[in-house]
Amino acid sequence: MFIMKFGGSSLQTPERLRETAAIVRKHQHLRPFLVLSAMGHTTEDLVDAGRSALNQRIEARIETFHRTFLSALDLSLECVDTLLSELYSLLKGISLIGELTPKTQDTLLSFGERLSVRIFSAYLNRIGLPSSHYDGWDAGILTDSQYTHAEVLPESSERIRHALGLETKIPVVTGFIGKDGQGNITTLGRGGSDLTASVLGQALGAKEIQLWKDVDGILSADPRLVPAAATLERLSFVEAAELAYFGAKVLHPTSILPAMDAKIPVRIKNHRDPSHPGTVIFEGESVKSGVIAIIYKSNQTLVHIESTRMLGQSGFLATVFQIFADLGISVDVIATSEVSISLTLSGADLNELIKRIKPFATVRTSRSKSILSLIGTATSSSRLLETVMRALNREKIDVQMISHGASKINTSLIVEDGELKRSVAVLYDAFFGGKE
Ligand code: ADP
Ligand code: ASP
Ligand code: MG
């Protein structure tokens, strides 16, 4: 068996959905297990619907969008009736109470994937491909209770095998969602369907995990910033994990880890061009040397912590890291000296952090920064850094911090958000300019 995960763009219109079903039919003999995202931009629409409900407006857009599919695909209206009325009641509840907690937000967003699997599975059945749909929890996905970014618990593997192991029809499972131990709905963070695919693949011992998207694979840069970016044919797990974590939007940040653990190849495929081989992520050494991709994360906060020397050098670093651990803050890029630490954070509670650090250090923060990461195994660190600095200097782009890991897999630099586009273009030209 193998996993085929389809993102929202594969289910954006009834026509696209039919093409996606045709891809499934072609692979039917290989026993595909399907994982689906919400159709088109439904997750975004649900976020908007939540906001509107807070302003006493109940939106009908999601219902209309899904009903259009049912009539275009000649499916019974009943297959999503119950869910649509539950969604209406939830939105009504949000508008009455005037509150939208992270827990409620997760339940709200779960409707996208739940609607999607019901419609797609009904369509497969209609065209003669026997199929059953599963909500994440019915497929065995158990998470912790960190609403909006829950983690899948290890017990899920056994539960998934139990739930899906004997399934003879084509299972169509919701990506992105699960339930915690108390039975509350959780989500795995935006883009989380990739992770569901990888978790199912690991639990079921899949031969391959395929992530079908609207691009030819993982590209050497975000195609929206660098239209000439090229497809990477092969990537090692370590490189892919680094790429995902440091912001390549094409993969959810932790999606590769379960597949990596089980050594199952992950293939990124283009649903618009199924014959294109895409990118394969595999167990092994990287095949290319030099920089292979340039990626970014914007909207980060740069924090500079300087010791007031009340604590010794090692006491200072240990105390600061303990505070990060206590507050559950994960740091992306960091540079330390004996008496200072510079690092980037996103989405952390800065006030609490400053309060805890103030007694023994000064803290300065500045927002609207971008982390730009060069992924690849550079043969010479000094040559790589020289190329970066020369290219950015020539364009008068100021680099505010630089971090070059011992693994040489990742070199990250911090620039202003406003300089991001230009920086990516300049660096792409410096590293790939002569190669195309
Ligand atoms: P899906 O939700 O269908 O799984 P995503 O929209 O999450 O797919 O990811 C695909 C999108 O990621 C592409 O359309 C592309 O615009 C964007 N992207 C950003 N960086 C990269 C990259 N390095 N390689 C490929 N796509 C990228
Ligand atoms: N539908 C969810 C999102 O838009 C999950 C996913 O697409 O992977 O983030
Ligand atoms: Mg995605």
Side-chain angles (χ1 to χ4, degrees):
M1 57 83 57
F2 76 116
I3 309 282
M4 298 178 97
K5 174 255 166 176
F6 293 97
S9 58
S10 300
L11 307 163
Q12 194 154 12
T13 59
E15 195 39 49
R16 275 256 172 277
L17 188 148
R18 279 195 201 98
E19 286 164 15
T20 300
I23 296 174
V24 173
R25 188 194 284 285
K26 250 192 153 164
H27 292 81
Q28 188 189 4
H29 61 292
L30 298 170
R31 262 193 96 208
F33 279 51
L34 310 188
V35 174
L36 301 188
S37 295
M39 296 158 75
H41 301 288
T42 300
T43 308
E44 223 35 71
D45 290 344
L46 285 163
V47 172
D48 290 346
R51 271 194 221 116
S52 299
L54 283 175
N55 292 317
Q56 318 303 315
R57 251 183 320 113
I58 307 293
E59 288 198 4
R61 183 141 46 117
I62 294 156
E63 175 163 353
T64 315
F65 178 73
H66 288 88
R67 288 208 187 278
T68 312
F69 278 77
L70 296 179
S71 50
L73 299 170
D74 202 13
L75 298 173
S76 147
L77 294 179
E78 278 159 26
C79 78
V80 291
D81 262 358
T82 319
L83 265 190
L84 287 173
S85 53
E86 266 181 48
L87 172 61
Y88 178 80
S89 305
L90 179 63
L91 291 171
K92 199 82 197 138
I94 294 168
S95 81
L96 284 173
I97 299 172
E99 188 182 64
L100 182 51
T101 61
K103 184 170 158 190
T104 309
Q105 173 90 355
D106 274 2
T107 300
L108 176 60
L109 297 198
S110 75
F111 280 90
E113 272 68 11
R114 289 153 80 195
L115 287 163
S116 173
V117 295
R118 280 162 178 75
I119 293 175
F120 195 70
S121 180
Y123 182 68
L124 289 183
N125 280 315
R126 198 178 76 58
I127 62 167
L129 297 176
S131 147
S132 344
H133 68 264
Y134 288 85
D135 291 329
W137 44 89
D138 293 329
I141 308 267
L142 183 71
T143 73
D144 63 16
S145 304
Q146 299 182 71
Y147 300 111
T148 75
H149 57 281
E151 283 186 22
V152 178
L153 297 176
E155 303 90 285
S156 299
S157 291
E158 191 49 50
R159 298 163 66 113
I160 291 167
R161 282 192 287 275
H162 187 72
L164 298 179
L166 297 176
E167 179 58 86
T168 50
K169 297 180 187 168
I170 300 175
V172 184
V173 183
T174 56
F176 182 53
I177 61 176
K179 274 188 182 172
D180 66 10
Q182 288 79 52
N184 296 313
I185 296 177
T186 54
T187 67
L188 310 180
R190 295 302 305 274
S193 300
D194 294 345
L195 177 59
T196 306
S198 187
V199 165
L200 289 188
Q202 179 192 36
L204 297 166
K207 281 218 156 56
E208 183 169 279
I209 296 160
Q210 296 185 349
L211 309 176
W212 289 76
K213 301 188 181 246
D214 61 352
V215 269
D216 282 340
I218 299 186
L219 309 180
S220 47
D222 184 340
R224 289 163 300 185
L225 295 196
V226 182
T231 307
L232 301 168
E233 278 170 41
R234 289 166 72 74
L235 271 178
S236 70
F237 275 125
V238 178
E239 288 166 335
E242 200 81 0
L243 253 150
Y245 187 75
F246 277 88
K249 194 219 155 209
V250 63
L251 286 178
H252 173 278
T254 59
S255 56
I256 288 302
L257 304 180
M260 183 166 166
D261 215 37
K263 301 186 174 41
I264 300 170
V266 176
R267 195 180 285 276
I268 319 296
K269 295 274 294 173
N270 190 349
H271 65 88
R272 295 172 206 261
D273 185 7
S275 60
H276 192 290
T279 298
V280 61
I281 304 169
F282 64 101
E283 160 79 3
E285 295 289 305
S286 58
V287 276
K288 267 187 172 172
S289 63
V291 172
I292 56 167
I294 300 178
I295 55 183
Y296 65 88
K297 261 190 199 180
S298 47
N299 204 12
Q300 305 287 308
T301 301
L302 183 60
V303 180
H304 186 74
I305 302 169
E306 195 144 347
S307 166
T308 43
R309 294 172 204 261
M310 280 170 57
L311 306 168
Q313 176 197 343
S314 55
F316 168 61
L317 293 178
T319 312
V320 172
F321 286 116
Q322 187 57 52
I323 293 172
F324 289 156
D326 292 347
L327 297 180
I329 291 177
S330 68
V331 171
D332 288 333
V333 182
I334 186 155
T336 60
S337 78
E338 287 177 17
V339 291
S340 72
I341 306 177
S342 298
L343 51 95
T344 60
L345 302 172
S346 62
D349 181 350
L350 281 178
N351 289 335
E352 185 58 25
L353 179 69
I354 292 170
K355 197 169 99 198
R356 300 274 295 267
I357 288 184
K358 245 185 175 165
F360 61 90
T362 57
V363 185
R364 276 184 288 128
T365 59
S366 44
R367 292 175 193 274
S368 308
K369 308 291 176 197
S370 290
I371 308 174
L372 234 144
S373 300
L374 306 167
I375 306 294
T377 43
T379 39
S380 156
S381 299
S382 45
R383 205 160 322 128
L384 181 135
L385 292 175
E386 187 199 351
T387 309
V388 170
M389 296 321 268
R390 185 147 9 102
L392 294 177
N393 236 340
R394 208 169 29 230
E395 292 296 318
K396 305 214 170 358
I397 296 172
D398 186 35
V399 177
Q400 309 192 348
M401 184 177 147
I402 190 153
S403 157
H404 182 63
S407 71
K408 294 192 189 166
I409 279 271
N410 180 341
T411 301
S412 290
L413 26 132
I414 314 298
V415 298
E416 293 289 338
D417 275 346
E419 301 272 39
L420 171 70
K421 273 190 178 170
R422 215 154 57 91
S423 307
V424 173
V426 164
L427 288 177
Y428 195 84
D429 195 47
F431 284 97
F432 298 91
K435 292 186 194 167
E436 250 96 29

